[in-house]
Amino acid sequence: MALIYTWYGHGTSGLDIDGSKVLVDPYFTDNPAASAKPNEIEADYILITHGHGDHVGDAVSIAKRTGASVVTNFEIATWFQNQGVEAHAQHLGGGHQYPFGYVKLTLALHGSALPDGSDGGNPCGFLVTTSGHQKIYLAGDTGLFGDMSLIGEEGLDLAVIPIGDNYTMGPDDALRAVKLLQAKHVIPVHHSTWELIEQDADAWAGRVRSETQTEPHVLQPGESFTL
Ligand code: NI
Ligand code: MN
């Protein structure tokens, strides 16, 4: 079973799971780091971690053009449904089986107000178990929390975590997160979009390599990693 992870810049990820296109937090139009235009992106499902504008991004227009279903928490799912977008509501700790795999919503320490000020409920991350039994953890925007070790107990093949600081974990806490998650591979995201969250991802990867058993992969926007 092939799994291709693509980083589109900032917190925007794409998973190609045996041909199923799963887009996460599609932020292209106003994203200075974006490697693609929203109308170039294909999607079968769109996963949304929280309500902030840099994560909801272009999700409404991409969902309407592609017919993709949104997967997110109840509050954000309702917000999408009210705009005519098909959405499946889950909530923290709950999992659901989709054709491409099983998606569980995980804890995230962050905010979640939607762009129009609506209540976006609690932010989340995603633990995706593909139909080929690969486990990918997409942390979303979050601070460090000790229960990352519980997520790590699931046996992660890949963790995608923020390192940008200011809004999320910075490099030091992200390194601690790697130690709790114990994934086989880690990809740093949510950094260097703007000066405020500029980070030396290669230097961070060097620390991951020397202090953990996890293999880091530093991508440029538009680059992919095949698991
Ligand atoms: Ni955010
Ligand atoms: Mn963000």
Side-chain angles (χ1 to χ4, degrees):
M1 303 286 270
L3 188 138
I4 304 164
Y5 171 89
T6 302
W7 186 43
Y8 291 107
H10 198 56
T12 304
S13 298
L15 299 173
D16 185 318
I17 304 171
D18 260 353
S20 287
K21 311 276 193 216
V22 180
L23 194 58
V24 185
D25 290 350
Y27 174 52
F28 296 99
T29 299
D30 299 320
N31 177 358
S35 64
K37 302 237 180 313
N39 58 9
E40 300 167 349
I41 299 294
E42 290 307 315
D44 298 307
Y45 289 88
I46 301 174
L47 278 49
I48 301 290
T49 61
H50 66 288
H52 292 163
D54 59 321
H55 294 260
V56 170
D58 300 290
V60 170
S61 66
I62 294 174
K64 287 189 172 171
R65 176 175 54 79
T66 61
S69 299
V70 169
V71 175
T72 185
N73 73 20
F74 170 78
E75 290 82 0
I76 298 173
T78 304
W79 186 81
F80 276 101
Q81 287 160 352
N82 287 341
Q83 297 178 74
V85 171
E86 190 182 309
H88 183 101
Q90 295 184 216
H91 236 301
L92 299 186
H96 183 75
Q97 185 70 45
Y98 298 90
F100 62 87
Y102 183 78
V103 177
K104 186 157 78 173
L105 267 60
T106 60
L107 180 67
L109 296 181
H110 197 64
S112 190
L114 284 151
D116 62 5
S118 302
D119 174 16
N122 287 310
C124 71
F126 294 105
L127 181 61
V128 178
T129 307
T130 69
S131 29
H133 307 293
Q134 288 173 307
K135 281 191 189 272
I136 302 114
Y137 170 54
L138 300 136
D141 284 8
T142 188
L144 178 68
F145 55 92
D147 286 354
M148 284 183 178
S149 63
L150 296 177
I151 299 169
E153 282 174 10
E154 300 234 10
L156 304 177
D157 294 290
L158 172 63
V160 178
I161 65 173
I163 69 161
D165 218 347
N166 194 75
Y167 302 114
T168 67
M169 295 189 286
D172 292 347
D173 278 355
L175 182 63
R176 297 166 75 192
V178 171
K179 292 172 183 173
L180 295 174
L181 293 167
Q182 298 188 43
K184 290 193 183 109
H185 304 273
V186 68
I187 293 174
V189 299
H190 213 277
H191 70 86
S192 308
T193 318
W194 306 283
E195 206 181 325
L196 185 60
I197 57 172
E198 190 76 42
Q199 297 296 340
D200 184 341
D202 289 318
W204 181 79
R207 295 170 71 193
V208 171
R209 240 176 242 116
S210 67
E211 293 184 39
T212 79
Q213 303 295 310
T214 299
E215 192 183 343
H217 304 273
V218 174
L219 303 180
Q220 298 305 313
E223 286 185 343
S224 296
F225 168 71
T226 301
L227 194 63

